[in-house]
Amino acid sequence: MEVCCIPAVPFPPASLRYRLHPVLENWSIGRPTKRRCFFAASAGLRHLPKGNHLETQKRMFILGMGFVGEFVAQDLMNQGWAVSGTCTSVAKKEKLDKLGFNVHLFDANEPELEVLNILNQHTHLLVSIPPCLHIGDPMLQHAEVLRRKLNNDCLQWLCYLSTTGIYGDCGGAWVDETYPPNPPNELAKLRLAAEGGWLSLGDDLGVAAHVFRLGGIYGPGRSAIDTIIKGESLSNSQRVRSFKKYTSRVHVADICNALNESIHKPSPGRIYNIVDDDPAPRTEVFSFARKLIGETWMKEVDTNESFSGERSLRGEKRVVNARMKKELGVRLFHPSYRSGLQSISDQVHHYPPSPSPSPSPSWEESLSDV
Ligand SMILES: NC(=O)c1ccc[n+]([C@@H]2O[C@H](COP(=O)([O-])OP(=O)(O)OC[C@H]3O[C@@H](n4cnc5c(N)ncnc54)[C@H](OP(=O)(O)O)[C@@H]3O)[C@@H](O)[C@H]2O)c1
């Protein structure tokens, strides 16, 4: 299998590439001479557009079809985009393939050139792969290869999904994007470096690159409601987080919302906090979730909070989302966890309310806060 540790061949000029690819050469006949990206059926993209549509259809590549990636993929496919993406396991690929996505197995530590050759035929790129300890951003280890592969004038927009965790503990202060980051641990430092790396790559390539600093992500299948229904017990990291007075959250639908707005209003190099209006303690969110579950299923749920007392809560931070609203024009679907959880509760009959293995960890479980 071809991986990028193979010495790189210099990126050929467009004319040479057309000569090397007869199908693409025919496609280029009579077209303007400006370099353009290829779009070959062999690349594995679905919903191939015809004729001039080739140049107008938007194509999103999602590095890391995890919780957010899958929602974004569905949202864009519903809007008529061609969407491709990656995951790391065969089982996950099979699941996503069944949902109609065009998914490639991919290890960012050893990226296959074949997949990068597909990636570089896309107009938009969403990076959802988190950094690894001792490595940093696994893709940016191969920044030179990426720079060469993406230097074909195809990519117009990219967004790196980061986290509000890079601000660290701010003693309960309101923090906007100008607040000095204070990464609290090694992973958060690597995350901050990854933000800079992706913005710099975008700048080098002339691509509008953005960073979205996400609060704790929740949505259908990953929420306080799901955690309670599945009867999951608290992990150590959850216990630690339960002592935070404020946790900024965002419903996955609002991440899609903000991404859509950013795609329509690119702003190269810009960083946005993507959170709701209501940073609230975990205890409050879980109390509300228990109330909703009780109302929905008339079910006795354990309302004992075994993990926290109000007086012991620590400040942390309240994340400001004003830039997202002002510059991107985002109008939140779920300004508070209340409306977000209510919508999940309303939909919950679509997925089993009985304890069952989770396809992905609850956001409280997976939130590494970096
Ligand atoms: N969870 C939160 O509350 C939260 C809050 C703020 C920011 N974030 C960050 O926001 C991003 C999206 O969040 P999410 O909850 O959607 O994350 P997620 O569900 O964990 O998805 C991460 C994706 O990255 C892929 N991945 C991980 N390591 C990889 C590697 N070495 N090579 C290739 N692919 C790799 C995973 O592959 P598989 O699909 O095969 O697992 C998955 O598709 C992540 O970077 C996350 O850290 C999360």
Side-chain angles (χ1 to χ4, degrees):
M1 197 168 283
E2 204 184 10
V3 294
C4 73
C5 47
I6 290 170
V9 178
F11 201 73
S15 54
L16 177 60
R17 279 181 284 145
Y18 286 137
R19 264 186 271 125
L20 290 171
H21 296 270
V23 173
L24 297 164
E25 199 173 13
N26 289 341
W27 174 63
S28 71
I29 289 169
R31 289 182 171 273
T33 52
K34 180 183 181 300
R35 282 201 299 162
R36 64 183 71 80
C37 61
F38 307 141
F39 203 78
S42 60
L45 296 170
R46 293 188 181 179
H47 315 297
L48 288 179
K50 298 237 180 335
N52 284 341
H53 195 196
L54 272 173
E55 286 192 333
T56 56
Q57 193 194 31
K58 290 178 177 164
R59 303 181 291 280
M60 175 67 82
F61 195 94
I62 301 176
L63 275 170
M65 291 267 284
F67 187 71
V68 174
E70 194 179 323
F71 270 83
V72 173
Q74 189 63 64
D75 181 51
L76 293 176
M77 266 176 60
N78 291 346
Q79 297 177 51
W81 286 58
V83 183
S84 303
T86 67
C87 68
T88 59
S89 74
V90 174
K92 178 90 175 273
K93 177 175 160 41
E94 280 171 4
K95 184 202 134 198
L96 292 170
D97 282 345
K98 276 189 195 140
L99 293 171
F101 301 121
N102 186 31
V103 182
H104 308 274
L105 281 177
F106 186 72
D107 176 0
N109 289 302
E110 291 192 343
E112 291 162 29
L113 291 180
E114 199 183 319
V115 176
L116 296 182
N117 286 336
I118 294 169
L119 192 166
N120 76 6
Q121 293 160 26
H122 288 71
T123 54
H124 294 68
L125 170 64
L126 180 66
V127 185
S128 187
I129 298 176
C132 310
L133 268 181
H134 314 303
I135 289 179
D137 187 292
M139 287 302 293
L140 292 176
Q141 296 175 88
H142 312 285
E144 275 316 307
V145 177
L146 265 181
R147 197 170 275 116
R148 274 197 304 277
K149 283 288 166 192
L150 295 178
N151 188 20
N152 66 346
D153 284 354
C154 190
L155 194 65
Q156 301 160 13
W157 176 100
L158 81 79
C159 182
Y160 175 70
L161 296 185
S162 181
T163 164
T164 56
I166 56 101
Y167 294 116
D169 186 345
C170 310
W174 284 98
V175 303
D176 67 12
E177 292 85 347
T178 63
Y179 199 92
N182 183 19
N185 54 41
E186 181 61 20
L187 213 44
K189 285 179 190 153
L190 295 172
R191 180 71 87 168
L192 191 60
E195 287 187 355
W198 283 102
L199 290 181
S200 154
L201 183 70
D203 192 41
D204 292 351
L205 294 170
V207 169
H210 312 81
V211 167
F212 276 17
R213 290 179 177 159
L214 310 175
I217 303 160
Y218 73 103
R222 189 197 278 187
S223 71
I225 290 180
D226 295 84
T227 301
I228 295 167
I229 286 172
K230 287 165 191 156
E232 291 163 351
S233 56
L234 295 177
S235 66
N236 281 341
S237 55
Q238 283 176 309
R239 282 175 198 282
V240 169
R241 286 195 297 277
S242 70
F243 289 97
K244 288 179 187 171
K245 187 161 186 184
Y246 303 109
T247 298
S248 293
R249 298 174 179 76
V250 62
H251 190 288
V252 67
D254 278 317
I255 301 175
C256 294
N257 186 0
L259 286 170
N260 275 304
E261 296 294 352
S262 169
I263 286 166
H264 290 107
K265 298 182 199 79
S267 183
R270 209 64 171 144
I271 296 175
Y272 295 96
N273 291 337
I274 308 292
V275 294
D276 69 17
D277 297 338
D278 187 14
R282 188 179 195 276
T283 45
E284 190 183 310
V285 174
F286 270 70
S287 295
F288 186 70
R290 284 188 171 84
K291 181 171 158 286
L292 287 177
I293 291 169
E295 281 169 6
T296 309
W297 294 293
M298 314 287 272
K299 185 173 151 186
E300 281 292 312
V301 284
D302 178 12
T303 51
N304 290 332
E305 301 287 15
S306 59
F307 52 89
S308 182
E310 199 62 38
R311 66 193 156 79
S312 60
L313 296 181
R314 282 199 291 127
E316 280 289 322
K317 61 194 160 282
R318 288 171 282 180
V319 180
V320 176
N321 60 15
R323 182 183 287 180
M324 167 191 87
K325 290 181 176 175
K326 184 164 179 253
E327 296 183 10
L328 298 179
V330 171
R331 295 179 64 188
L332 289 167
F333 297 128
H334 301 296
S336 159
Y337 69 85
R338 289 172 179 272
S339 95
L341 288 183
Q342 182 68 62
S343 78
I344 291 168
S345 171
D346 293 345
Q347 293 168 29
V348 93
H349 59 274
H350 293 306
Y351 59 94
S354 56
S356 62
S358 173
S360 52
S362 81
W363 77 262
E364 294 281 356
E365 178 62 51
S366 65
L367 175 61
S368 50
D369 204 25
V370 292

